[in-house]
Amino acid sequence: TEKMRITDAGNVGIGTTGPGAKLDIVGTAATGGGTVQTLRVAAGTGGNAAITINAGATTNYAYQTFAQGGVGKFEIGYSATSDAAGSLFYFNPTVQGGANGAAMVIKSGNIGIGTTSPSEHLTVTGNVSLNSTVYVRAGNVGIGTTGPSSKLHVNSEISIGADDNNRGVLTY
């Protein structure tokens, strides 16, 4: 049986008799993570590489794994069946981890870090550091301290409502 076809247009098909792109591969390959369509694209020196991944209609997610030295290091993907609220785009440092355990997701215009269900424009589960001067830990906000012990913990001078004549100023 035919294993590969090259059309008059120069398209190469592996596992298909009607390739629709320069390289069109149809079929599956068994890997340690299950049955996965696998393709390797390597760019020459100074070149760029691009891949379009078109998962089947019943697929849980389509993903791209980035590897170094043949070892998977990072994954980005699209999950169409994450939950009833809609699909999400995710970044995951765990190869073939899917959206679960993702470092960051984008869902319905919201960004989630440490969560796959962001409910606000930015939802962060875990500790946050802003410019190494503002910290959020366990619901407490610290300014000038990395270990806030109350809802607002300021380890510095505070000024509130100062104007040109120093009216309405509270300095601590």
Side-chain angles (χ1 to χ4, degrees):
T1 55
E2 182 178 283
K3 302 292 182 189
M4 181 175 83
R5 175 173 286 197
I6 302 174
T7 67
D8 293 340
N11 292 346
V12 176
I14 299 173
T16 179
T17 58
K22 289 295 177 190
L23 177 60
D24 197 348
I25 301 173
V26 177
T28 57
T31 67
T35 302
V36 178
Q37 182 63 39
T38 303
L39 171 66
R40 178 176 179 252
V41 175
T45 304
N48 299 316
I51 298 174
T52 298
I53 300 172
N54 187 2
T58 60
T59 302
N60 288 332
Y61 60 95
Y63 62 90
Q64 167 101 32
T65 299
F66 293 86
Q68 183 178 22
V71 178
K73 299 291 184 180
F74 189 78
E75 175 180 298
I76 60 171
Y78 172 80
S79 175
T81 58
S82 62
D83 61 32
S87 57
L88 59 86
F89 181 72
Y90 68 88
F91 302 84
N92 196 337
T94 305
V95 176
Q96 290 194 13
N100 294 327
M104 185 178 92
V105 300
I106 301 172
K107 180 178 181 180
S108 302
N110 296 333
I111 297 173
I113 299 173
T115 178
T116 58
S117 299
S119 59
E120 303 293 333
H121 289 297
L122 177 62
T123 302
V124 179
T125 300
N127 297 331
V128 177
S129 172
L130 305 171
N131 294 328
S132 300
T133 58
V134 178
Y135 295 86
V136 179
R137 301 254 197 274
N140 295 336
V141 176
I143 300 173
T145 178
T146 60
S149 58
S150 60
K151 290 295 178 193
L152 177 60
H153 184 156
V154 180
N155 189 17
S156 185
E157 202 172 90
I158 301 173
S159 294
I160 301 173
D163 66 7
D164 291 342
N165 296 318
N166 289 328
R167 288 179 283 181
V169 174
L170 169 64
T171 302
Y172 182 76

